[in-house]
Amino acid sequence: MSRMVGTVSMGIRAPIIRSGDDLVEIVTNSVLETVKDGALTIRDRDVIAMTEAIVARAQGNYASVDDIAADVRAKLGGETVGVLFPILSRNRFAICLRGIAKGAKKVVLMLSYPSDEVGNHLIDVDAMDEKGVDPYKDVLTLERYRELFGYTVHPFTGVDYVDYYSNLIRESGAEVEVIFANDPRAILPYTKNVLACDIHTRARTKRRLLAAGAEKVFCLDEIMTASIDGSGYNAKYGLLGSNKSTEDKVKLFPRECQDLVEAIQARILKESGKHVEVMVYGDGAFKDPVGKIWELADPVVSPAYTAGLEGTPNELKLKYLADNDFAALSGEALRDAIKGEIKKKDGSLVGKMAAQGTTPRRLTDLIGSLCDLTSGSGDKGTPIVYIQGYFDNYTTE
């Protein structure tokens, strides 16, 4: 085992990306400049990843509050609209809400509790239990919510999202009524026209609403699916995965970008002779056990990736082998036995005892989470992440 270093993830700086920029050129050159600086040597099966933000920026994929309003008005009628299960986020949803409210006369805002879909809490769970509130069946009015729980602010942002969202709606010219419930059908006594804003449960929510008598039901992935007067759009994900750009504009999730990752892969092969994998990544998929926030607010971790990133890890658990199959060995004998076991593994290890405890997630979700943590979301200036050794194992020299 001559090489002591395993997986390495490094952020690579890049120019500030503007609409129309050539990302194939920028990403390739940024990696090659890093090679010239001596910071890395390109190897086969290295991974080059770029954040979805620079892809969407290069595409010029933006939509304004007025664009969103026009689409909401056309699809939901412009009268009373139920806005169901939005996440609590100034970055992810606030500007979308401005557009939604501008496209309606009244918004019935229905918030899930004790938290939103990604773990931002409106209500402390212990306080909820103490008050005898059953989140599976109780529907709370705003007055009852305030009576029971008062004015709760988010522990990290200091924002009372109930007030914040209510004021956004009023400022956009619509009347607002707020209720709290977890059964989507609780919205139907208020309005039959609903915009379901949940992310990963949206298909089930829509199905249940339509079965219960809703008249018009759209999900966020069905808003801004086509250009409005020259705006950006996303035919597959609509407003899902969008982020605040300005006070009246959002950056949408990138459109089709499979050609981009394959073109970068081809350029690196041409320049270095090495076959690397390339992906676009958004939010990682992990939960913060202290803040309780589940990070994945994008519809998927990776909207585009090269073929070598398909699938799930196929790994043996070293500590299982050491503690079970080779419990009587130690030192060099133990090392050689484990290396031999790894070398002879063949085919899928799904269901094998020696693979238990390995992370059962897709490669793109695992690598995307690593990239998201590496690049951060602030001012690091490293929207490109370079990963080496991810596909190494204990036998790799």
Side-chain angles (χ1 to χ4, degrees):
M1 190 168 58
S2 58
R3 179 149 59 90
M4 297 299 293
V5 176
T7 301
V8 175
S9 176
M10 66 182 78
I12 295 180
R13 289 181 177 169
I16 303 299
I17 305 301
R18 296 293 190 186
S19 178
D21 283 351
D22 184 346
L23 277 188
V24 175
E25 190 74 16
I26 290 171
V27 172
T28 301
N29 288 344
S30 296
V31 170
L32 295 177
E33 284 297 317
T34 308
V35 172
K36 287 180 184 177
D37 288 345
L40 67 87
T41 300
I42 298 174
R43 301 174 185 149
D44 286 324
R45 296 218 77 189
D46 287 353
V47 179
I48 299 172
M50 70 210 89
T51 176
E52 58 82 21
I54 65 170
V55 180
R57 287 171 66 85
Q59 292 175 343
N61 205 18
Y62 296 89
S64 71
V65 165
D66 288 339
D67 297 328
I68 296 169
D71 207 20
V72 168
R73 193 179 300 113
K75 288 173 178 172
L76 285 155
E79 297 295 326
T80 299
V81 174
V83 174
L84 191 66
F85 300 153
I87 64 172
L88 307 175
S89 173
R90 293 169 296 176
N91 174 46
R92 286 289 189 174
F93 191 71
I95 308 305
C96 294
L97 183 58
R98 287 186 189 275
I100 294 163
K102 200 169 181 180
K105 291 182 179 177
K106 179 179 179 179
V107 170
V108 179
L109 179 65
M110 190 169 113
L111 301 173
S112 58
Y113 72 92
S115 71
D116 69 6
E117 182 181 2
V118 297
N120 295 295
H121 274 67
L122 282 173
I123 298 171
D124 179 80
V125 291
D126 293 323
M128 184 181 70
D129 292 342
E130 289 169 8
K131 301 290 185 180
V133 174
D134 185 345
Y136 296 102
K137 66 179 183 180
D138 290 344
V139 179
L140 306 178
T141 63
L142 177 59
E143 293 72 24
R144 183 59 175 158
Y145 167 80
R146 293 298 190 198
E147 178 187 336
L148 290 170
F149 304 108
Y151 289 77
T152 303
V153 298
H154 192 284
F156 292 165
T157 66
V159 173
D160 179 334
Y161 281 96
V162 178
D163 262 0
Y164 178 58
Y165 278 3
S166 297
N167 289 333
L168 282 181
I169 293 167
R170 294 188 192 98
E171 290 166 4
S172 300
E175 183 185 348
V176 61
E177 184 171 1
V178 183
I179 59 173
F180 304 81
N182 292 310
D183 185 333
R185 295 167 294 188
I187 197 79
L188 296 180
Y190 298 84
T191 178
K192 297 294 192 293
N193 299 327
V194 182
L195 179 59
C197 300
D198 45 343
I199 304 164
H200 307 292
T201 54
R202 62 189 184 274
R204 180 172 185 256
T205 295
K206 182 174 183 177
R207 172 175 56 77
R208 295 179 75 195
L209 284 168
L210 290 171
E215 293 173 3
K216 296 178 182 176
V217 182
F218 288 86
C219 300
L220 282 182
D221 61 349
E222 297 174 296
I223 305 297
M224 297 307 304
T225 54
S227 179
I228 305 291
D229 296 327
S231 73
Y233 65 95
N234 191 305
K236 186 174 184 180
Y237 295 120
L239 282 177
L240 285 181
S242 62
N243 296 87
K244 178 180 179 179
S245 174
T246 69
E247 292 301 324
D248 63 359
K249 186 183 293 185
V250 293
K251 175 198 65 61
L252 300 172
F253 210 51
R255 295 194 293 270
E256 290 297 329
C257 43
Q258 187 63 35
D259 289 349
L260 170 66
V261 297
E262 292 176 359
I264 293 172
Q265 182 184 56
R267 277 289 301 278
I268 294 293
L269 179 62
K270 178 181 178 182
E271 298 292 339
S272 69
K274 302 298 181 181
H275 183 90
V276 301
E277 304 297 342
V278 184
M279 66 182 286
V280 177
Y281 68 93
D283 267 354
F286 51 83
K287 183 174 181 178
D288 174 358
V290 176
K292 301 181 178 64
I293 298 171
W294 171 259
E295 179 71 3
L296 185 56
D298 286 325
V300 291
V301 174
S302 178
Y305 50 88
T306 50
L309 297 177
E310 188 63 61
T312 59
N314 195 50
E315 300 174 348
L316 295 167
K317 195 75 169 180
L318 294 191
K319 65 183 181 182
Y320 179 88
L321 294 174
D323 292 345
N324 290 273
D325 296 39
F326 308 119
L329 302 179
S330 61
E332 188 172 337
L334 176 59
R335 184 194 67 189
D336 290 344
I338 288 179
K339 289 176 71 172
E341 198 70 14
I342 293 171
K343 287 178 178 178
K344 71 180 185 181
K345 70 180 180 182
D346 185 35
S348 173
L349 297 174
V350 173
K352 302 291 180 64
M353 290 299 289
Q356 66 178 330
T358 56
T359 307
R361 288 166 57 189
R362 297 188 305 172
L363 288 168
T364 50
D365 293 344
L366 291 164
I367 297 171
S369 298
L370 175 60
C371 292
D372 191 23
L373 290 168
T374 301
S375 63
S377 58
D379 58 6
K380 288 185 173 63
T382 55
I384 303 164
V385 175
Y386 197 96
I387 299 171
Q388 287 193 316
Y390 193 84
F391 296 101
D392 287 359
N393 62 40
Y394 194 59
T395 68
T396 305
E397 300 294 337

